[in-house]
Amino acid sequence: DLFFVQGSYYLAWHHTWYWAVSYNGPWRIVPGDRLPEPLRHHDLATLRTLRASDAPLTPLPARPDENAA
């Protein structure tokens, strides 16, 4: 699955994310916590649906702190 976000390409392949500035690579492994916000906050199935609908990839709203009084 290939995504173009914030001027870079991101590829999800066999449970690993890769990053490149060009479609042709070179591709480098990127840890999940280093992905751009829109990719980090959605599961792959949701990302596929958003991509297919041409909807913008936006981060999910922050969850309220469950421990807050």
Side-chain angles (χ1 to χ4, degrees), residues 4 7 19-20 25 29 34 38-39 44-46 48 50 62 64:
F4 185 73
W19 165 88
I29 293 175
R34 304 276 297 188
L39 296 179
L44 195 52
T46 301
R48 289 174 180 148
L50 291 170

Side-chain angles (χ1 to χ4, degrees), residues 40-64:
R40 194 176 340 144
H41 290 288
H42 294 290
D43 61 34
L44 195 52
T46 301
L47 290 170
R48 289 174 180 148
T49 301
L50 291 170
R51 182 183 58 200
S53 68
D54 287 329
L57 296 176
T58 56
L60 295 172
R63 292 183 185 177

Side-chain angles (χ1 to χ4, degrees), residues 5-56:
V5 179
Q6 299 172 350
S8 295
Y9 291 91
Y10 293 87
L11 175 68
W13 181 258
H14 293 281
H15 307 289
T16 302
W17 282 97
Y18 298 87
W19 165 88
V21 295
S22 167
Y23 178 83
N24 295 319
W27 292 93
R28 293 180 174 90
I29 293 175
V30 60
D33 63 347
R34 304 276 297 188
L35 290 170
E37 291 279 328
L39 296 179
R40 194 176 340 144
H41 290 288
H42 294 290
D43 61 34
L44 195 52
T46 301
L47 290 170
R48 289 174 180 148
T49 301
L50 291 170
R51 182 183 58 200
S53 68
D54 287 329

